[in-house]
Amino acid sequence: PNLVRTWNSEATSLEAQKAALEKEKRDFARIQAKITATHTKDKIKLNVSGKTFCTTLQTLVSRDSYFRLRFLGNFSSGLGSDGTFFIDRDYTVFDLILRYLRGGDLNKSELPQDLVDVAIREADYYLLPGFEEELCGGDSDNFVATHTTQYTLSADKTKITKTSVNNRWQDCVVGRKFVNKGQYVWRLKILCGSCMIGLSPENQETQGGGLYDRVGWFFYTMAGSLCGMPVSAMPSQRPNPGPRYGSACKPGDIVLMELNCNTGALSFSKNNESFGVAFIIPVDVPMRACVMMGNYLDSVELEEYHCCL
C-alpha cells in the first residue's frame, strides 16, 4: 500500500510538472509570435500624401482590405525610388487605420467630430467596414442622418417610422456612405406600409436634401417597380412607378439591395428572390443608401449592412 501511495504521489507530481511545462511552452510560443509579428524582415514604408508611416506586410494584410489587394502576391507594386509606397490619401488619420490593422482599440472620444468623419471616410476607401463599427461603438452602420422632421429613428438607429400625416415623398432618411470600392449589401425589413429603397449621390445631401428620387435610383416596394433617374421624372407629391421590375412587397418582407462598385450594378431581391440588375449606376461617384416613405406610420428596419471585396 505504501508503495502504491508513493507511486500515485509521484505520478501526480509528474503530471503537475508536465502541465507547468506545457503552460511555459505555450507562453513562450505566444511571446515568440509577438516578437515575430513586430520584428519581421518584411517592413514597409508608406508615403501617405507626404508623411511616412512604417509598418509590416503582416500587419497590412491581416484583414480583407485595400492593402491585401495591393500587396499580396505583388509586393513590389508601386515601390518608389525612395523605397516607399505612395498612397494619395489623407494622412491625418492613417495612424488610426494602422492601429486598427494591428488589433488596437479605437475610441472616437479621442477625436474631434470632423476627424471622426475623416477616419470613417478613409476606412471606407481602404475597404475596412469593421473600422467604423469599432470606432463608433456598433451603431455606425445604421441610418446616420435625416433631412426632415417627418421621421423618427429608434435609439439604435435601425428603425425608421414616418410620423407626419402628409403624403410627401421628397423627404428622405439616409444611411451610411457607399464608396466606389467593393460590393455592398443593405438588407431591410418592411414593418408597415411601403417605401422607396435606393441610392443617391453623396453630394445630394449638401444640396438641401429632399427629392432624392430625382437624382437617385430606387426600388418602389408597393408597386414592385423602379423609380428615379433616368427611369422617370418624378412628380413632387408621390412616385410615378416606372418599369415593372419585381413583385410588390408587404409588411414582413425582407428587401436586399446590393451594389457592385466594380460594375455599377445595383440589384434588389425580396425574401431571397433575386429580381436581377435594376440599374447600372456611375462607379466614380460616392453614394448614400436612402429610404423614402410617403404615408403616416410607414416603417422599415435595417437588419444588415456589410461590405465585401
Side-chain angles (χ1 to χ4, degrees), residues 214-255:
R214 298 285 183 94
V215 295
W217 300 266
F218 289 85
F219 172 54
Y220 181 28
T221 63
M222 177 176 286
S225 60
L226 300 178
C227 294
M229 180 180 91
V231 172
S232 61
M234 312 289 287
S236 62
Q237 292 303 314
R238 51 185 298 111
N240 181 21
R244 175 69 63 175
Y245 165 66
S247 56
C249 304
K250 62 183 184 302
D253 284 345
I254 303 296
V255 177

